[in-house]
Amino acid sequence: MLAILLLPEFSELEAALALEAARRLEYPAYTVAKGRKGTPALAGSVWTPTYAFPAAPPPKALLIPGARRPDRMAQDPAYLAFLQEIWEGVEAVFLGFNAHLFLAEAGRLPTRVVAPGEVAQALTKQGYQVADGSFHREAKVYTTLGGLSLLKALEDWAQKAIEL
């Protein structure tokens, strides 16, 4: 199962892209958030997650879309507990356009990453090495430039092309 973590003010594009990619791969996917109430997205929509943290089934992979101020959510004990609970069981973690900041704040971002513009600058200041490319895999973490580069990272993990 692919879990898509909905941080407050998340990127609908990246979440929808992941759900559609999973559907095309015939791979089960669900959305998960801190609670079951609606989660606001960047473009103004509100999504109701499939599961809240305590009820979510263990995922095989986790995708975190970019969001407004994602590093702040990594200071919330509920998000950290969810990450701790699932971390060992996931084989891949995919990061949207700035979700790197969430994983960095949580202390789980690998030292070598791919990141866009301002995110790359912020990570470089924190001592991370920024590589070239649209995505980079280090251990189980796929860092990406966000948007359609998430699709390329999912294809790499699935070892199968995803036709949209």
Side-chain angles (χ1 to χ4, degrees):
M1 288 192 153
L2 172 66
I4 299 154
L5 177 59
L6 303 181
L7 300 174
E9 297 182 88
F10 67 95
S11 166
E12 296 106 314
L13 171 69
E14 292 179 347
L17 183 66
L19 287 169
E20 182 61 18
R23 187 183 75 76
R24 301 275 175 135
L25 290 169
E26 297 179 356
Y27 195 79
Y30 62 87
T31 54
V32 61
K34 185 176 177 178
R36 278 275 295 139
K37 64 182 182 178
T39 302
L42 279 173
S45 67
V46 177
W47 288 31
T48 302
T50 311
Y51 296 102
F53 291 157
K60 186 174 181 181
L62 175 68
L63 187 136
I64 307 172
R68 188 173 313 234
R69 299 180 305 272
D71 50 330
R72 291 182 62 198
M73 293 304 103
Q75 297 169 7
D76 183 322
Y79 287 94
L80 292 176
F82 173 73
L83 206 54
Q84 174 69 30
E85 181 180 325
I86 67 159
W87 191 260
E88 292 305 316
V90 296
E91 69 178 47
V93 177
F94 302 91
L95 302 178
F97 75 94
N98 69 349
H100 313 59
L101 302 173
F102 173 79
L103 220 54
E105 183 69 26
R108 296 191 182 267
L109 188 66
T111 57
R112 190 164 170 81
V113 299
V114 163
E118 291 178 20
V119 177
Q121 291 172 357
L123 292 173
T124 299
K125 288 179 184 176
Q126 295 177 39
Y128 292 93
Q129 300 170 11
V130 179
D132 291 329
S134 64
F135 74 88
H136 174 74
R137 182 177 185 172
E138 187 90 14
K140 67 172 78 180
V141 178
Y142 280 89
T143 54
T144 77
L145 298 178
L148 292 176
S149 66
L150 275 171
L151 186 63
K152 295 295 179 195
L154 285 164
E155 287 178 335
D156 183 75
W157 175 65
Q159 297 184 355
K160 183 177 179 184
I162 301 170
E163 298 291 329
L164 294 183

